[in-house]
Amino acid sequence: MLIKRPSPIRSAEITSKRDYLSRRAFLKTSGLTAAALAGAGIALDGEGAPGAQEAPHGRALAGVQRSPLSIADKPSTWRQITTYNNFYEFGVDKESPARFAKGLNTANWKVTIDGECGRTGALDLEDILKGETLEERIYRLRCVEAWSMVIPWVGFPLANLIRKCEPTSRAKYVQFTTLDDPRQMPGVRSAVLDWPYVEGLRMDEAMHPLAILAVGLYGEVLPNQNGAPLRLVVPWKYGFKGAKSIVKISFVGQQPRTSWMKAEPTWYGFYSNVNPNVSPQRWSQASERVIGGGFFNRKTQMFNGYGDQVAHLYAGMDLEKFF
Ligand code: MTE
C-alpha cells in the first residue's frame, strides 16, 4: 500500500523502546484492558472460549459464543496473525507493529461519539461492551497488497453500538478515527499518511451483520498490533477499511475522505470492496498469496467470498466507478 518512501524511524526516536519490550509493561497494559472487559460483565480466563486452548498467550475471554457467520476455513496461526501486520502508526514494515505496539496503553480507553446522533460524548470501553455477547467470527481477511489470512476474531456487531448512539436520519455515513499519539506511536512522526488514520462506511454497510467491532483474537484479548482495544472488521472489503485502535466514531452526512483516499485517490476508493476484476493499483487483484501458503495460490473471490450476503448493498452501482 505504501506510496511514499517514509523517512526511516531512527531508533533514538522510538521513545522508551525498553518499556515497549518490557514484559512487565505489556502485562500491565493488557491486564488493564482485561479489567475494562471484566467491568462490562465479560469474564476473563474463560475455559472453553473458542480458540483459548490453542493460543494461551494472554488473557482468555469467557463466554465467547460461536457464530453461524463464521466460515469453515482453517484459521491462520496466532503467529502469522500477530507478527505480519499493517499498522503504520508503528512503522511501515510488517514486523514493526508486533515490536513497537507492545507498550500501547489501552487502559481507560475512551471512544468519542459525535455528529448526527442522539447520544454524543465519550464512552468507556466498558460502556461500549455492556450488554454485548462476544462472538467468535472466523473471517477471511484480504489485504489490497494481495495477501490473505483467515482470522478468528472475537467481537460484536457494529450495528449494536450504532443503535445505542441513536443516529438521526441525517446520518448517511459512519466515520472512524483512530489514535494519533506521537508519544506512543513512532510512525505518526513520519508523513507516510495524513494522520490520524480515518476510515468510513455507508450507514447500510455499517449496519450489516457481518461488520463487527473486534476486541479479541483466538478467544483472547486483542493484541495491540492487531488494533487493541477496539478495531473495525469488514470482511468483504480490503483490510485497510478495518481501522485499528478506534478513538472516535462520527455520524456524518457526507462521505468521509479516508486516509488512503487522501494519499492516493486513484488507487483507493471509498468502497474498496474486494473485487478480482478491478485493479486500480499497479498490481492485479485477481489472485492472492495466502500467508503460510504458496505464491499467489488462491483466486480472489468477489466480495472476498461474501457476495451472497452483501452484493445487494451495491445493486445497480457500477463497481468499476465506485471502487
Ligand atoms: N488501522 C490503522 N489505524 N493504521 C493502519 O496502518 N492498516 C490497515 C488496517 N487498519 C492500518 C489500520 C491495513 S492496510 C490492513 S491490511 C489491516 O489493518 C491489517 O490488519 P492486521 O494487521 O490485524 O492483519
Side-chain angles (χ1 to χ4, degrees):
M1 336 235 344
L2 191 55
I3 51 148
K4 272 188 240 165
R5 200 64 231 139
S7 50
I9 300 161
R10 287 180 291 121
S11 55
E13 289 182 287
I14 298 164
T15 40
S16 351
K17 183 175 165 198
R18 216 180 36 220
D19 283 353
Y20 287 168
L21 300 176
S22 134
R23 181 165 164 72
R24 198 160 147 257
F26 172 56
L27 287 177
K28 194 164 151 230
T29 51
S30 63
L32 288 170
T33 304
L37 293 167
I42 292 164
L44 293 161
D45 298 319
E47 298 205 353
Q53 268 70 28
E54 295 93 310
H57 303 96
R59 304 287 308 271
L61 298 164
V64 178
Q65 305 290 309
R66 292 181 198 279
S67 165
L69 297 175
S70 286
I71 56 166
D73 303 25
K74 185 172 184 284
S76 307
T77 65
W78 172 272
R79 193 176 164 73
Q80 287 160 346
I81 299 168
T82 61
T83 61
Y84 189 88
N85 298 103
N86 277 332
F87 200 168
Y88 279 17
E89 288 86 332
F90 294 100
V92 295
D93 56 277
K94 299 285 181 278
E95 300 77 30
S96 287
R99 286 181 67 198
F100 301 123
K102 281 199 172 76
L104 176 69
N105 185 2
T106 57
N108 304 316
W109 196 268
K110 292 197 189 315
V111 179
T112 301
I113 308 292
D114 68 9
E116 304 287 357
C117 62
R119 291 181 64 188
T120 56
L123 288 179
D124 290 325
L125 191 56
E126 48 185 278
D127 297 327
I128 290 174
L129 290 168
K130 210 161 269 167
E132 297 297 342
T133 301
L134 293 183
E135 293 173 39
E136 181 181 66
R137 296 282 186 102
I138 305 175
Y139 284 166
R140 273 182 287 274
L141 175 103
R142 169 62 156 80
C143 178
V144 74
E145 295 162 340
W147 54 263
S148 68
M149 296 198 207
V150 175
I151 306 194
W153 303 110
V154 176
F156 62 94
L158 170 61
N160 291 1
L161 177 59
I162 292 179
R163 281 192 204 99
K164 280 186 195 163
C165 300
E166 300 168 8
T168 70
S169 58
R170 288 188 297 275
K172 307 291 183 210
Y173 297 87
V174 189
Q175 176 175 309
F176 303 86
T177 306
T178 78
L179 185 68
D180 173 12
D181 181 356
R183 287 167 307 156
Q184 300 194 77
M185 300 173 134
V188 300
R189 287 183 235 141
S190 107
V192 62
L193 283 176
D194 184 12
W195 309 107
Y197 195 98
V198 168
E199 258 309 336
L201 295 172
R202 213 173 55 192
M203 187 58 95
D204 58 345
E205 298 178 312
M207 294 299 290
H208 193 282
L210 285 173
I212 59 165
L213 288 168
V215 295
L217 171 71
Y218 259 118
E220 301 187 314
V221 174
L222 193 64
N224 291 350
Q225 61 266 40
N226 294 95
L230 191 71
R231 69 94 49 93
L232 178 65
V233 179
V234 194
W236 69 96
K237 293 179 178 282
Y238 291 115
F240 66 85
K241 297 295 289 181
K244 295 179 168 185
S245 304
I246 295 166
V247 292
K248 186 155 79 158
I249 298 180
S250 312
F251 295 92
V252 295
Q254 301 295 319
Q255 184 177 290
R257 256 187 100 211
T258 69
S259 297
W260 285 106
M261 288 166 77
K262 280 194 216 165
E264 188 41 275
T266 59
W267 282 14
Y268 305 115
F270 177 77
Y271 286 95
S272 292
N273 294 315
V274 175
N275 188 339
N277 310 312
V278 177
S279 304
Q281 308 81 11
R282 272 190 313 228
W283 58 90
S284 164
Q285 297 295 349
S287 62
E288 65 204 52
R289 181 169 60 93
V290 179
I291 298 297
F295 189 70
F296 292 100
N297 49 348
R298 187 177 194 277
K299 279 210 161 72
T300 292
Q301 296 177 70
M302 189 63 205
F303 298 115
N304 206 19
Y306 295 94
D308 289 352
Q309 289 136 292
V310 302
H312 68 275
L313 296 173
Y314 310 101
M317 275 174 75
D318 177 349
L319 296 180
E320 279 198 36
K321 192 167 157 215
F322 296 100
F323 61 89

